[in-house]
Amino acid sequence: LAKTTQPISMDSYEGQEVNITCSHNNIATNDYITWYQQFPSQGPRFIIQGYKTKVTNEVASLFIPADRKSSTLSLPRVSLSDTAVYYCLVGPNQAGTALIFGKGTTLSVSS
Amino acid sequence: NAGVTQTPKFRILKIGQSMTLQCTQDMNHNYMYWYRQDPGMGLKLIYYSVGAGITDKGEVPNGYNVSRSTTEDFPLRLELAAPSQTSVYFCASSYSGGGSATNEKLFFGSGTQLSVL
């Protein structure tokens, strides 16, 4: 299983772009990288997923370098409502493997 | 679709009591998971299942049991509740393993907050 490492916390102000980097040095060939967002008292929810290069959706962008040993979640122009914990998850390389979450990054957005 | 439904939402147990946390999904997902989340901490995997009749241990399985008799249901059993099991429990499901195919993702329930006193 590919272990992930993220910063414990980050602070930002409204309107700024936030980039959260996740390290996954032993990612397997078939693994995808998925990011989840969790608000207090709620279960995590899917944000974005990618395999290589860049993926963009209506919420965020995901940048993955060629060696795939890291990935960066980019949140454009954050607002107070983006205050949450963000988890990077690297997918299993074979069926039946458990999905292990890392400690996540607590993002605090201030006005 | 209701997605992933967990019951109850809150429960207080006395030490030594037993209970079952219910989880059901209506998305015909193969994979289901149980996680626990202690205050201010990340998610820890308790058990998971890749299909009916198949279960496997996660990171912290001690003190828990699971069964998967149907695709839809994945109950988590606490036999002898201990204060260390005070936590929020989340059930999740995915079509395959999550992350191994384009757009595969985990769907989480709203959680069960359990206190053991």
Side-chain angles (χ1 to χ4, degrees), chain B residues 36-44 84-89:
Chain B
R36 61 175 285 175
Q37 187 172 38
D38 298 338
M41 305 297 286
L43 295 136
K44 292 290 187 181
S84 60
Q85 294 178 306
T86 293
S87 190
V88 179
Y89 292 83

Side-chain angles (χ1 to χ4, degrees), chain A residues 1-4 22 24 26-36 48-51 68 71 88-101, chain B residues 31 33 35 94 96-101 104-106:
Chain A
L1 288 174
K3 181 179 178 181
T4 60
C22 179
H24 28 80
N26 59 337
I27 187 169
T29 302
N30 295 332
D31 284 347
Y32 276 68
I33 301 152
T34 312
W35 285 79
Y36 290 86
I48 196 166
Q49 183 183 78
Y51 183 80
R68 304 202 327 123
S71 58
C88 165
L89 191 67
V90 176
N93 58 359
Q94 60 183 16
T97 306
L99 290 177
I100 306 295
F101 279 76
Chain B
Y31 284 44
Y33 307 82
Y35 292 90
S94 69
S96 62
S100 62
E104 289 299 332
K105 58 188 178 183
L106 289 170

